[in-house]
Amino acid sequence: MKKSAKVPIVSIIGWSGSGKTTLLEKLIPELAGRGCRVATVKHYSHGFDMDREGKDTWRHRKAGAACTVLSSAGQLALVRDMDHDASLDEIRDRFIHDADIILSEGFKRDSAPKIEVFREALGEEPLCRTIDDVMAVMSDVPLGVGCICLGLDEVGKLADLIEENFLKT
Amino acid sequence: MKKSAKVPIVSIIGWSGSGKTTLLEKLIPELAGRGCRVATVKHYSHGFDMDREGKDTWRHRKAGAACTVLSSAGQLALVRDMDHDASLDEIRDRFIHDADIILSEGFKRDSAPKIEVFREALGEEPLCRTIDDVMAVMSDVPLGVGCICLGLDEVGKLADLIEENFLKT
C-alpha cells in the first residue's frame, strides 16, 4: 500500500435509501482483504447518542466532561463536544493517523473524490449531474453520465478503481 | 487557566467500589464551573462495547473498518482497534488536544499524579501505602498517611488543590 503524507479520502454519496451503508459493508472487506487498513467516517446531521445511559463514561459526560476516552488493550473509544461540523480533512488530521484509506458516508458537499450509489426506483436524478468530483457511479441501471458507471454488485471493480487511484505507489 | 504545552493529567485511583466515578461526578462540574475544560479517560481491563448493534457505524466496524468516526455539528465519536494498552501520555498526545486537564480513572500503574478514594468498609489497605505519586486521599475516615487527607465530600478543597498544582499560571 502507498504511504503518502496524508491518508486519502473517498466519499460514498447518494440519496437516502440508495444503499450507501450496504455498499460500504461490501467494499470495506474487499479492501481489507487486499491488505488495506480502512477507516470510515459517517456524518450525522441531527446528532447521535453513542454512549449508554448509566455507564461510567456516560456519567463522566453527563457531569460535564468535554471529552471522554475509553481505553482497553484491543479498542479505544472517544466521545467529545464539537462546536462546528468538522470537514473530512479536519477529522483526518486530528483523529485518523494510521489508516491506508478513509471511506466516508454522507459528506456530499466536501471536496473529497466521490463514489455515487444510485437506485432508479428512488425517482431522483443522479447526484453526479450537479455535484463535482464524482469519479464513479454504482447504479442498478445504465446511466448516461460523464464518469465510470458500474453495477451495484461490481464491488471488486470499484476496489480496483480505488486501489489504482489512491493506494498504488 | 494555564496553557502549558501538554495537558496535565490527574488519575483517580482506588479499590473497586470505593467511589471513583462518584467522585468524578462531583469533581468534573466543580472544575468545569471554574472555567476548566475537563477531559476524562477510563480504563477497561476487559474491553467494552460502545457501539450499538445495527447502527451504521456498528455495520462499518463489523465489515472490518479498523477505525470509525461519527461526526455531527455538536459531537464527534470515534471507535478504533488498538494492539496494546495505551498509556495516558499516548492517549493525550494522540487524541486529546484542547482540554485544560485530563482526569483519568483506573490507571493506577501509570506515572501520572494521583488522587486516591478510600472507604474503610472495603477492608483494604490504602493504595497510597504501596503506590507512588498519590498527592491526596479522599477518605471516609482519618488516615495516617504521608499525603493530604480530605473527606469524601470535600470536593471544593480537592478542586483547589488541583487548580493550585496544575491549572494556575
Side-chain angles (χ1 to χ4, degrees), chain A residues 25 38 40 42 56 66 69 71, chain B residues 38 40 42 56 59 66-67 69:
Chain A
E25 285 181 305
V38 180
T40 63
K42 163 103 187 175
D56 289 352
V69 173
S71 176
Chain B
V38 180
T40 63
K42 163 103 187 177
D56 289 352
R59 291 167 65 185
C67 173
V69 173

Side-chain angles (χ1 to χ4, degrees), chain A residues 39-150:
Chain A
T40 63
V41 181
K42 163 103 187 175
H43 185 260
Y44 281 91
S45 301
H46 301 293
F48 55 85
D49 181 20
M50 186 104 174
D51 218 340
R52 291 190 191 167
E53 191 167 329
K55 289 188 76 164
D56 289 352
T57 45
W58 178 87
R59 290 167 64 186
H60 292 184
R61 291 278 292 161
K62 192 156 184 290
C67 172
T68 292
V69 173
L70 279 77
S71 176
S72 74
Q75 204 175 208
L76 181 141
L78 174 156
V79 185
R80 55 161 292 152
D81 293 344
M82 295 294 283
D83 59 8
H84 66 285
D85 243 327
S87 70
L88 287 169
D89 280 357
E90 182 185 350
I91 292 168
R92 171 184 58 195
D93 295 348
R94 293 180 66 179
F95 301 105
I96 306 175
H97 313 115
D98 53 358
D100 294 309
I101 194 160
I102 297 169
L103 300 176
S104 75
E105 190 183 331
F107 285 81
K108 69 183 178 210
R109 301 291 167 201
D110 204 281
S111 63
K114 296 168 187 65
I115 308 295
E116 176 172 0
V117 186
F118 180 79
R119 208 172 282 273
E120 193 181 34
L122 294 176
E124 302 280 1
E125 280 292 298
L127 290 169
C128 63
R129 294 204 170 122
T130 51
I131 286 181
D132 291 337
D133 309 308
V134 178
M135 55 186 290
V137 182
M138 310 292 285
S139 171
D140 60 348
V141 289
L143 291 174
V145 290
C147 61
I148 296 162
C149 192
L150 297 171

Side-chain angles (χ1 to χ4, degrees), chain B residues 5 23 37-38 50-52 83 86 89 105 117 160 169:
Chain B
L23 177 67
R37 187 174 164 86
V38 180
M50 186 104 175
D51 218 341
R52 291 190 193 168
D83 58 8
D89 280 356
E105 190 184 330
V117 186
D160 292 344
T169 46

Side-chain angles (χ1 to χ4, degrees), chain B residues 54-156:
Chain B
K55 289 188 76 163
D56 289 352
T57 45
W58 178 89
R59 291 167 65 185
H60 292 185
R61 291 278 292 161
K62 194 157 184 290
C67 173
T68 293
V69 173
L70 277 78
S71 176
S72 74
Q75 203 174 210
L76 181 141
L78 173 155
V79 184
R80 56 161 290 152
D81 294 343
M82 295 294 283
D83 58 8
H84 65 285
D85 243 326
S87 70
L88 287 168
D89 280 356
E90 182 185 350
I91 292 168
R92 170 184 58 196
D93 295 348
R94 293 179 67 178
F95 300 105
I96 306 175
H97 313 115
D98 53 359
D100 294 309
I101 194 160
I102 297 169
L103 301 176
S104 76
E105 190 184 330
F107 284 81
K108 68 182 178 211
R109 301 292 167 200
D110 204 280
S111 62
K114 296 167 186 66
I115 309 294
E116 177 172 359
V117 186
F118 181 79
R119 209 172 282 273
E120 192 180 35
L122 294 175
E124 302 279 1
E125 281 291 300
L127 290 168
C128 62
R129 294 205 169 121
T130 51
I131 287 181
D132 291 338
D133 309 309
V134 179
M135 55 188 289
V137 181
M138 310 293 284
S139 170
D140 60 349
V141 290
L143 290 173
V145 291
C147 61
I148 296 162
C149 192
L150 297 171
L152 285 175
D153 283 329
E154 294 187 286
V155 176

